[in-house]
Amino acid sequence: MSYATREVNKVSTNMSETPSTSFSTIHRTSEGQVPSRRHLSITHPVVAKRISFYKSGDPQFGGVRVVINPRSFKTFDALLDNLSRKVPLPFGVRNISTPRGRHNITRLEELEDGESYLCSHGRKVQPVDLDRARRRPRPWLSSLAISAHASRHPTVAAAPSMPCAPRRLLVFRNGDPKTRRTVLLTRRVTQSFEAFLQHLTVVMQRPVTKLYATDGRKVPSLQAVILSSGAVVAAGKEPFKPGNYDVQKYLLPARLPGISHRVHRKGNARSENRKSVNWKISIITSDFPNAGTSSQIYIVLYGHHRSSAPIYLYGTDGVRFQDGHEDIFTITVGDIGVPFKIRIGHTNSGHAPSWHCKEIQLQNMNCGKQFYIPVQRWLARDKDDGEICREFPLLSKGQWVLPVTTYEVYVATGELWNAGTVANVYISVYGKKGDSGSRQLLRSKSSFNFLRGQTDSFLLEAVHLGNLYKIVIGHDGLGPGNGWFLDDVVVKDPTTNHEYAFFCHRWLDQGEGDGKIVREIYARDNSIFSARQKLELKSKETWAAESWKFTKGNTLQFYNRLTGGFVRLHPDGTVDAIGEKTDKYGLFDVIFNKGNICIFRSHEMRHLSLALDNGFVTGMAGRGTPTELRVIYQHSRCALLESALVPGHTLVFDRQGRRAEESAAGYADLSKEFVILVKGVFLNSAVILLATSLCQALCLQSDGTCTGAGNQSEKSYWKVHKISSGICMFESTKNTQMYLRIKDGLCDGTGTGDADCHFKIKKNLENASISLESVKSPGLFVGLQPDGKAKAVVYTKEENVCFYPQVIQFGRENPMGMSATPIQREGQIQKSENQKKMLPASEVRGPLPTSATKEILHSQTSETLLSENEWKVSVLTGDTGTQASVTLWIYGDEGVTGPISLSKDSPEQLFLPRHKAEFQVEIGSIGEIYKIRIGHDGSSRQPEWSLQRVTMQHMKSKKVLDFVADVWLSQIQADGDSVCELPVMKEGQPIFPLVKYQVEVYTGQLKQAETESEVSLCLYGERGDSGLRLLHKSNMPVRFRRGQINLQDIGEIYKIRIGHDNSGKDPSWYLEEVRLENIATSEVFCLPVDSWLAEDENEGDTWREIPIVRTSAAPLPVVVYEIHIYTGRKPGAETDCNVFINLIGTRGDSGKRRLHQSKSNKARFQCGQVDIFSIKAVSLGKLKTVVISHDGTGPGNGWFLESIVVKSEEEESSQEVLFLCNRWLDEYQDDGKTERELIPERRHSAGGGSGPTTC
């Protein structure tokens, strides 16, 4: 083979990495700075070696084939650099070794022709099964540049289930574009890739051994053929030969949907006789340093008839797109009609791929019409927005034909274990006005993309596509564990503010499901329909996972999370939901099961069953129709018990555990969801599944490791060996004598039945899950990593330690030979710990003191229970709704009620566009109302909310307060605030005017003084406060924060509170100064701070209060409040939770502060212990109330608080106030509350008396 032939082969190899699928002829002209073609004179033969390189430890990587000769690679380092761009390794290719890793290659001469080698970035090499790697298909490489013209688009989005005709494929002869054949991809000819090549040999009447895309990339598999653009080049043993393989010229026309819906039938002369058009393209590269590129440039033209194929712009001399140069090309494409946009990009290849394009000019050489596109953008991964492909509209009469739109793409990865991927993900979006082309989803707001259960957001810039109707999404399969479970994709069009939902809920994995890694997904009618479909699917999957519990003969318990108790049926037929776990009246047998309709008979009184009679739950004798209850599972693994006779009637209890009606008056707290528990799950010799998700389970693998991503099959069955009460071993039924264990900090399935295999079963009543704690290594639990691999972990509140047992075969009671050892005492202690276990309590938003705030329910009430304090609140949403958490505060001249959470069980039905949501609230005695504050936390996918109006109506007097808002509550639009204040109007004027304050916050100049946390500010005045406001608007990135606060006049400001939420990698912050300016009066306050706000600095407080200094009056002093916390001596009184306190006095409150640095003890809040903390606050005056709470994190998180003593000293006075509690803060004990509001028991001067005594 001559060197010239090898050069062509080399070009073919390089082009195989490009993201396009088709090709058009390019004639490089002599215009511009374009050198003439050089002819090579060959005098000596060059020996070439063809080598395959694979990635160390990654059998999914399909390998790279490289031709090596003295002219292509002069040094070994040059080869390493070239491979670093082709083999994805963290630090590039730095080592080449033989397949088994025994010998390292250090010189080009050591490489042998036709052999395979491994690439790694270190000396350690992991061997690879080369046979498996060679067989791996890489279909995405043939579909990276998806073109809108590959097939005729329907005028409306066809449903995915519609039958499709066999696909047509255009096959060109290599080097002869005029010789072409059309082939139907039927099942007969696509049995295998080899059979397909044989079929093409007959069709083309010449041997066909290889296929190429029209741009020269090799098509290696049948799947790549199916996913191609609609055309391939058939070759024998010869290399690829470039040519005018114009797909548009020969395929049936496909006008862009939305521009013309007329599709000409096959054989119509109007479509078949379209003439080719010559275009002159002039591209100017910017003239500053490093603006040129070494990469391969391509362009796509879009017209009203159709689009062109991706056209690669390359010359014959290799010199192109240099700094300040103009490159001119002549291309020939089919008749695309009047052009309206172009797409230009490059392949990101070569030593300097970054490119800055200045401008592009197009000229139709048939009619002479010219188009000018000012680009002035980077196409570079390391510059601008990181995109290497851009779209630009053309000008028509001085105006853009279509706008450039930045679409927001939200990609939700499923919640299955190992659902995430490290592969490169690509998407192509299709609309009525064209497509976006294939784009890599590279930069999101998350640190790592496509993690399990994560929703990643990306920006995709394209000329407006019109109404969207489908996407094609997939990945390249690179990297270990590259499979991906895609839940759904939502594309938001900011031009129309419309969201398009694309529901998937399937694997893109060659080893799962149908093996596809690319999917074509059609849009649903609207995002609400998609959300409803997701909920329905989740409910079906939940029922499939939980239905085993309702097998006839099972004994069940119904736990109610609101009351913290179990449903029990008393001998007199009454029913409540406050029973203990051991209450004999709380057990029910399943005596009838048909689908999801069951009868639950009392285990203790076999003549009574649960029944719904006239909407009330009761006990009823016999098996009448009222006793038939339908079980409806929610996605939270809780169930509703609905009457089979009267749909809509469900078991409902109030907070006190009393039976109630859903339509009952009073709007007290109601609950109708129950956690279903099965008795006897862990009996000896039982066979169970330890489910990790709705369709996965903990599984022992052949190498002895365990994974939570196993299928729920026999491979995942475990046999229970009961050691004592609450302590068991788990033996694999598939691999006998192999036990689950934790040893030396590792978790696997290679145990032998010794003490390493003993586990305490910790039950979580919140969701009927269990956690397995090692008896030998207390504190270590069986946990799962994101990829599903089992690992010994310290307990967290995360779900990675939760398993959902399913009984395959029940065991037996009281097995013979059960040891009566001290472990039984551990089981009793475990039972006590289980009673203390709980999930985190909801954290109260905002620092304001709460007067009797009630949980809110959707409005339907009866007149008989109306009180003086009940109001109906109506919230009217504008054109943009939200599913974020919405909170309301109501201010009166005698107090404030709030925060009030405006919520219900189905948040997706609240705050919909142009929808009125109604709530009933009890606001207490706060005097004459003069303003409200309303806002949201931005927690949903829709961070913006258009609020039109809030109306309050007193339920008894019918008095109406109307608050006209007409505002955007958003942190990215308008004034950038997600909270607004609305005044009461009198005679068309607000009672108190709107005041605007400009806030400037200065960070100190110390090293690492800046913070990544969210900074918030609260202003305090004579008539209330501003509430916490997030300072996120700034003209500098981190060092200086600026924000504008709009609020109703709160009178003369006397202090501010500023702090952060301690989030981010480095939350510590040194605050130098805060400047506050009243915009209307120009009054400026300079408030020096000069202090760290950090948990590891000074007092460890992340909040500071600063008094306002005025010339007319002395500022209030900053007081140190010393807080003594007395934990009781009851068993289990201690807690590991985060504890928070808010001191409330006659001059306001301290805000919610975390108590985390005890001055008296290293371990806080232990049984019988006194912990001393201190917080600084502007003088609060006489203390009236203390609000103490915890967040419920950690195992055994209940807490018995005995009392609190608060001491403080000021210049003229001191106080020591005792707040008695003597109650549990525990969701499973006492009244289930984890927050207490305490009032003073006694007050005296410092030194007078001692603190409380503990028993």
Side-chain angles (χ1 to χ4, degrees):
M1 180 187 294
S2 68
Y3 175 68
T5 304
R6 285 191 295 269
E7 285 294 300
V8 173
N9 192 24
K10 178 182 172 185
V11 172
S12 171
T13 303
N14 290 337
M15 289 180 64
S16 68
E17 301 161 22
T18 64
S20 176
T21 57
S22 50
F23 185 86
S24 294
T25 301
I26 305 132
H27 309 285
R28 192 72 177 271
T29 71
S30 59
E31 300 179 60
Q33 302 178 22
V34 183
S36 60
R37 179 173 179 173
R38 294 178 298 171
H39 296 275
L40 299 176
S41 175
I42 308 301
T43 56
H44 300 286
V46 179
V47 178
K49 303 176 184 177
R50 289 165 179 79
I51 313 293
S52 296
F53 294 94
Y54 295 86
K55 182 181 174 183
S56 170
D58 186 1
Q60 297 295 322
F61 183 68
V64 174
R65 189 171 176 84
V66 178
V67 178
I68 298 176
N69 59 52
R71 295 189 181 183
S72 61
F73 300 103
K74 297 184 181 300
T75 65
F76 188 71
D77 287 340
L79 173 63
L80 295 179
D81 291 341
N82 181 271
L83 290 173
S84 296
R85 294 191 291 270
K86 299 177 179 179
V87 182
L89 286 168
F91 305 103
V93 177
R94 290 293 172 262
N95 183 61
I96 298 176
S97 65
T98 53
R100 295 189 179 182
R102 294 179 179 177
H103 303 288
N104 289 336
I105 305 299
T106 57
R107 295 183 303 127
L108 291 173
E109 292 76 7
E110 297 177 13
L111 296 170
E112 297 183 14
D113 185 27
E115 295 299 325
S116 300
Y117 297 89
L118 294 184
C119 299
S120 63
H121 62 262
R123 293 186 176 274
K124 187 176 180 181
V125 180
Q126 298 179 357
V128 171
D129 185 349
L130 295 183
D131 291 336
R132 179 182 173 187
R134 291 177 183 130
R135 289 195 304 265
R136 181 185 166 277
R138 302 171 66 186
W140 182 262
L141 295 179
S142 296
S143 56
L144 289 180
I146 303 168
S147 105
H149 55 265
S151 62
R152 292 189 296 173
H153 295 307
T155 56
V156 294
S161 60
M162 289 178 62
C164 299
R167 188 180 174 191
R168 298 168 62 252
L169 182 72
L170 187 64
V171 183
F172 290 99
R173 182 173 178 177
N174 190 22
D176 183 10
K178 294 183 179 180
T179 303
R180 62 196 180 278
R181 299 288 185 271
T182 300
V183 177
L184 289 178
L185 298 180
T186 62
R187 291 186 178 181
R188 182 179 63 83
V189 301
T190 57
Q191 295 294 324
S192 67
F193 190 52
E194 291 74 15
F196 184 63
L197 293 178
Q198 292 177 5
H199 177 70
L200 292 184
T201 298
V202 176
V203 172
M204 303 302 292
Q205 297 182 354
R206 58 167 297 178
V208 177
T209 60
K210 292 180 291 185
L211 295 180
Y212 294 93
T214 52
D215 61 354
R217 290 179 301 107
K218 193 171 182 179
V219 179
S221 66
L222 186 61
Q223 193 171 9
V225 172
I226 296 171
L227 293 171
S228 68
S229 66
V232 295
V233 178
K237 295 182 179 180
E238 75 279 3
F240 174 76
K241 299 176 183 179
N244 185 20
Y245 305 110
D246 189 353
V247 182
Q248 295 305 315
K249 185 176 180 180
Y250 305 109
L251 287 179
L252 282 176
R255 294 174 182 263
L256 285 177
I259 296 176
S260 174
H261 293 303
R262 292 175 295 173
V263 180
H264 300 295
R265 297 178 181 272
K266 183 176 179 180
N268 190 315
R270 292 183 59 185
S271 61
E272 291 294 334
N273 296 328
R274 292 192 184 277
K275 296 180 180 180
S276 297
V277 179
N278 293 326
W279 289 86
K280 178 181 175 182
I281 300 179
S282 171
I283 299 178
I284 300 178
T285 301
S286 299
D287 58 0
F288 48 80
N290 301 319
T293 182
S294 61
S295 190
Q296 181 72 58
I297 304 296
Y298 66 89
I299 191 170
V300 183
L301 308 182
Y302 280 78
H304 286 73
H305 294 160
R306 62 183 73 138
S307 65
S308 75
I311 304 164
Y312 283 78
L313 306 176
Y314 61 91
T316 57
D317 53 9
V319 180
R320 57 196 182 277
F321 307 111
Q322 301 303 303
D323 301 353
H325 282 218
E326 179 182 14
D327 294 275
I328 300 176
F329 306 88
T330 300
I331 65 173
T332 303
V333 298
D335 183 10
I336 64 172
V338 178
F340 63 89
K341 79 170 181 177
I342 68 165
R343 181 185 307 130
I344 190 161
H346 63 78
T347 59
N348 203 43
S349 59
H351 62 282
S354 299
W355 181 42
H356 193 279
C357 181
K358 183 178 181 180
E359 64 181 59
I360 300 172
Q361 295 182 23
L362 302 178
Q363 181 180 0
N364 186 323
M365 299 182 69
N366 291 23
C367 66
K369 192 170 183 179
Q370 296 184 359
F371 302 91
Y372 169 73
I373 303 103
V375 180
Q376 295 290 355
R377 293 288 298 273
W378 278 104
L379 284 80
R381 287 291 187 216
D382 57 349
K383 298 180 186 298
D384 204 340
D385 57 2
E387 290 296 325
I388 59 173
C389 170
R390 298 198 183 281
E391 290 191 353
F392 300 93
L394 301 185
L395 288 169
S396 176
K397 298 179 181 180
Q399 299 293 327
W400 299 118
V401 177
L402 291 170
V404 175
T405 302
T406 302
Y407 292 92
E408 298 173 24
V409 181
Y410 299 90
V411 181
T413 299
E415 296 182 354
L416 299 182
W417 295 101
N418 205 25
T421 186
V422 297
N424 298 313
V425 175
Y426 299 84
I427 191 173
S428 183
V429 182
Y430 289 79
K432 298 295 184 180
K433 297 180 181 177
D435 63 273
S436 68
S438 176
R439 308 289 186 93
Q440 184 177 353
L441 298 179
L442 194 62
R443 292 188 178 183
S444 78
K445 298 177 182 178
S446 307
S447 300
F448 299 95
N449 297 340
F450 313 116
L451 298 182
R452 169 182 174 266
Q454 177 173 290
T455 298
D456 298 282
S457 61
F458 304 88
L459 299 178
L460 191 152
E461 184 184 281
V463 173
H464 194 257
L465 302 172
N467 291 331
L468 307 183
Y469 66 91
K470 80 168 180 179
I471 63 170
V472 175
I473 189 167
H475 62 82
D476 58 8
L478 298 181
N482 52 57
W484 184 34
F485 190 89
L486 173 61
D487 215 345
D488 62 62
V489 178
V490 175
V491 181
K492 181 179 179 182
D493 183 349
T495 304
T496 62
N497 204 30
H498 188 73
E499 289 185 356
Y500 300 86
F502 302 87
F503 186 69
C504 182
H505 201 68
R506 297 186 69 180
W507 283 101
L508 281 74
D509 190 338
Q510 292 173 333
E512 297 281 353
D514 58 7
K516 292 183 179 180
I517 62 174
V518 180
R519 295 203 181 276
E520 182 179 67
I521 310 172
Y522 285 79
R524 300 298 178 185
D525 292 338
N526 53 58
S527 58
I528 298 176
F529 175 83
S530 179
R532 186 184 302 117
Q533 184 187 33
K534 287 176 63 176
L535 290 174
E536 290 175 354
L537 180 61
K538 189 71 175 288
S539 297
K540 290 180 181 178
E541 291 178 341
T542 305
W543 171 251
E546 299 284 325
S547 58
W548 69 273
K549 295 180 178 179
F550 304 95
T551 304
K552 186 177 179 179
N554 285 356
T555 301
L556 309 180
Q557 290 179 293
F558 303 101
Y559 174 75
N560 187 281
R561 293 191 294 190
L562 177 65
T563 66
F566 291 83
V567 175
R568 56 184 181 179
L569 174 57
H570 296 277
D572 60 358
T574 59
V575 182
D576 61 36
I578 54 175
E580 296 292 332
K581 185 178 180 181
T582 56
D583 197 314
K584 63 182 180 180
Y585 297 124
L587 299 177
F588 298 89
D589 297 331
V590 181
I591 63 170
F592 173 83
N593 175 287
K594 184 177 181 181
N596 65 338
I597 297 177
C598 304
I599 295 178
F600 304 106
R601 186 181 65 189
S602 170
H603 185 74
E604 182 69 18
M605 297 162 296
R606 297 183 177 271
H607 64 288
L608 291 180
S609 299
L610 278 180
L612 272 168
D613 187 19
N614 293 324
F616 284 96
V617 60
T618 184
M620 183 174 289
R623 295 177 53 174
T625 305
T627 64
E628 294 183 2
L629 302 178
R630 179 179 287 107
V631 181
I632 303 174
Y633 259 95
Q634 309 296 298
H635 62 274
S636 61
R637 286 186 182 260
C638 291
L640 309 180
L641 300 180
E642 180 188 68
S643 170
L645 179 63
V646 186
H649 284 193
T650 58
L651 267 70
V652 183
F653 295 93
D654 62 20
R655 183 176 287 276
Q656 287 72 41
R658 300 185 295 252
R659 68 178 190 174
E661 273 190 304
E662 215 173 336
S663 59
Y667 288 86
D669 298 341
L670 301 178
S671 176
K672 55 184 178 180
E673 294 186 347
F674 304 92
V675 179
I676 312 297
L677 305 173
V678 181
K679 296 293 290 183
V681 172
F682 296 100
L683 297 177
N684 196 61
S685 298
V687 178
I688 64 171
L689 268 173
L690 294 174
T692 56
S693 70
L694 295 178
C695 57
Q696 295 173 306
L698 186 68
C699 177
L700 176 63
Q701 298 181 301
S702 57
D703 60 357
T705 62
C706 293
T707 177
N711 295 324
Q712 292 184 357
S713 62
E714 292 183 9
K715 295 181 179 179
S716 303
Y717 290 177
W718 299 88
K719 184 177 181 180
V720 177
H721 296 269
K722 191 168 184 178
I723 305 302
S724 64
S725 177
I727 298 179
C728 298
M729 294 192 303
F730 301 91
E731 178 189 9
S732 171
T733 61
K734 189 72 174 178
N735 301 280
T736 57
Q737 303 302 314
M738 296 186 72
Y739 293 79
L740 184 66
R741 72 169 183 179
I742 290 180
K743 183 178 182 180
D744 299 329
L746 301 176
C747 178
D748 56 35
T750 60
T752 58
D754 56 8
D756 293 324
C757 307
H758 294 186
F759 291 94
K760 292 181 183 178
I761 300 173
K762 292 181 173 285
K763 298 180 179 178
N764 184 358
L765 296 179
E766 289 298 308
N767 55 11
S769 70
I770 63 158
S771 298
L772 301 178
E773 181 184 15
S774 171
V775 173
K776 192 172 182 180
S777 303
L780 286 183
F781 288 74
V782 178
L784 300 178
Q785 301 180 85
D787 61 1
K789 293 182 180 178
K791 180 184 180 181
V793 299
V794 177
Y795 183 90
T796 66
K797 62 181 180 181
E798 302 295 334
E799 62 174 343
N800 67 323
V801 296
C802 292
F803 299 92
Y804 301 88
Q806 297 181 20
V807 177
I808 306 301
Q809 176 182 316
F810 280 92
R812 61 182 184 273
E813 293 275 7
N814 301 322
M816 297 298 295
M818 179 185 289
S819 58
T821 64
I823 297 181
Q824 289 181 342
R825 184 173 174 270
E826 293 181 4
Q828 295 172 354
I829 296 174
Q830 174 63 28
K831 178 180 176 182
S832 174
E833 291 177 352
N834 283 340
Q835 292 175 347
K836 296 185 297 178
K837 190 175 169 91
M838 59 175 285
L839 286 181
S842 299
E843 186 174 321
V844 177
R845 301 182 183 278
L848 295 174
T850 60
S851 54
T853 302
K854 269 194 160 187
E855 188 80 15
I856 302 169
L857 295 172
H858 208 263
S859 78
Q860 280 182 1
T861 186
S862 75
E863 289 290 331
T864 56
L865 294 181
L866 294 178
S867 71
E868 291 292 339
N869 297 328
E870 290 190 21
W871 292 71
K872 182 173 75 172
V873 177
S874 302
V875 180
L876 178 62
T877 297
D879 292 334
T880 302
T882 185
Q883 291 184 14
S885 298
V886 175
T887 308
L888 174 70
W889 292 261
I890 304 171
Y891 285 80
D893 54 15
E894 296 179 9
V896 59
T897 292
I900 302 171
S901 177
L902 301 181
S903 63
K904 67 173 186 176
D905 292 339
S906 301
E908 66 275 3
Q909 299 300 322
L910 287 177
F911 312 116
L912 299 177
R914 296 172 295 280
H915 180 267
K916 180 190 290 186
E918 295 184 346
F919 307 88
Q920 183 128 348
V921 301
E922 185 174 332
I923 65 174
S925 300
I926 61 174
E928 189 74 16
I929 296 174
Y930 65 86
K931 75 171 182 179
I932 64 171
R933 182 189 305 138
I934 189 168
H936 67 86
D937 61 359
S939 58
S940 73
R941 291 184 180 179
Q942 173 59 45
E944 302 174 292
W945 183 30
S946 172
L947 175 62
Q948 291 292 104
R949 183 186 299 268
V950 179
T951 305
M952 295 179 58
Q953 182 182 30
H954 192 260
M955 296 300 292
K956 204 162 189 179
S957 68
K958 303 303 179 182
K959 176 183 178 181
V960 175
L961 299 176
D962 194 21
F963 303 89
V964 179
D966 197 19
V967 295
W968 275 89
L969 296 183
S970 165
Q971 294 179 1
I972 60 177
Q973 286 198 18
D975 60 2
D977 209 343
S978 58
V979 177
C980 72
E981 293 195 351
L982 305 175
V984 171
M985 308 291 289
K986 281 191 177 180
E987 298 179 356
Q989 297 294 325
I991 295 179
F992 299 111
L994 180 70
V995 181
K996 295 184 178 181
Y997 289 92
Q998 182 73 28
V999 182
E1000 296 181 356
V1001 180
Y1002 292 87
T1003 298
Q1005 300 298 316
L1006 301 181
K1007 187 177 180 181
Q1008 296 181 335
E1010 62 272 10
T1011 182
E1012 299 177 1
S1013 300
E1014 299 284 3
V1015 175
S1016 300
L1017 176 77
C1018 184
L1019 309 181
Y1020 286 80
E1022 297 171 331
R1023 288 191 293 272
D1025 59 73
S1026 67
L1028 278 181
R1029 302 295 183 92
L1030 184 64
L1031 300 180
H1032 60 277
K1033 293 283 185 179
S1034 175
N1035 60 354
M1036 299 183 68
V1038 176
R1039 307 284 295 182
F1040 166 68
R1041 297 176 185 268
R1042 170 178 292 170
Q1044 181 172 297
I1045 295 179
N1046 302 331
L1047 68 155
Q1048 300 305 310
D1049 189 4
I1050 57 176
E1052 196 171 81
I1053 297 175
Y1054 64 85
K1055 77 171 181 178
I1056 71 167
R1057 180 187 304 131
I1058 190 169
H1060 61 82
D1061 61 0
N1062 205 45
S1063 62
K1065 295 181 181 179
D1066 188 11
S1068 300
W1069 181 34
Y1070 189 86
L1071 175 59
E1072 183 177 286
E1073 184 182 46
V1074 180
R1075 294 184 184 179
L1076 187 67
E1077 179 183 1
N1078 186 318
I1079 296 178
T1081 64
S1082 299
E1083 186 179 21
V1084 178
F1085 301 100
C1086 297
L1087 309 176
V1089 182
D1090 289 318
S1091 178
W1092 283 99
L1093 278 70
E1095 289 193 344
D1096 54 356
E1097 298 282 352
N1098 300 336
E1099 299 90 355
D1101 203 348
T1102 59
W1103 292 89
R1104 287 288 184 277
E1105 290 197 351
I1106 306 106
I1108 298 293
V1109 180
R1110 298 179 184 273
T1111 56
S1112 58
L1116 293 173
V1118 176
V1119 178
V1120 177
Y1121 291 89
E1122 189 175 86
I1123 303 167
H1124 297 245
I1125 305 290
Y1126 291 80
T1127 299
R1129 292 184 177 275
K1130 290 191 175 186
E1134 69 280 354
T1135 187
D1136 295 325
C1137 300
N1138 296 313
V1139 175
F1140 302 87
I1141 195 170
N1142 186 10
L1143 307 179
I1144 303 167
T1146 55
R1147 296 197 191 107
D1149 65 289
S1150 67
K1152 195 172 184 179
R1153 308 285 187 96
R1154 181 183 170 210
L1155 302 177
H1156 74 104
Q1157 280 193 359
S1158 174
K1159 296 181 178 180
S1160 53
N1161 304 288
K1162 289 185 177 180
R1164 302 162 297 166
F1165 312 119
Q1166 298 301 301
C1167 183
Q1169 183 171 287
V1170 181
D1171 292 282
I1172 301 175
F1173 305 87
S1174 65
I1175 64 173
K1176 290 182 179 179
V1178 172
S1179 176
L1180 301 172
K1182 183 179 179 181
L1183 292 181
K1184 301 188 301 180
T1185 312
V1186 163
V1187 178
I1188 187 85
S1189 63
H1190 67 76
D1191 61 4
T1193 57
N1197 46 43
W1199 182 35
F1200 188 85
L1201 172 63
E1202 188 171 290
S1203 60
I1204 300 174
V1205 174
V1206 182
K1207 302 178 181 180
S1208 64
E1209 291 188 7
E1210 301 186 33
E1211 290 185 2
E1212 300 179 355
S1213 64
S1214 63
Q1215 61 179 330
E1216 181 175 326
V1217 187
L1218 169 65
F1219 300 88
L1220 286 179
C1221 181
N1222 283 318
R1223 297 190 70 175
W1224 285 98
L1225 280 76
D1226 189 334
E1227 192 168 348
Y1228 298 118
Q1229 301 206 51
D1230 205 333
D1231 59 359
K1233 292 183 178 180
T1234 57
E1235 179 181 280
R1236 301 279 177 204
E1237 186 173 340
L1238 310 177
I1239 58 176
E1241 289 294 322
R1242 67 172 184 267
R1243 191 187 310 270
H1244 48 80
S1245 60
S1250 58
T1253 59
T1254 56
C1255 54

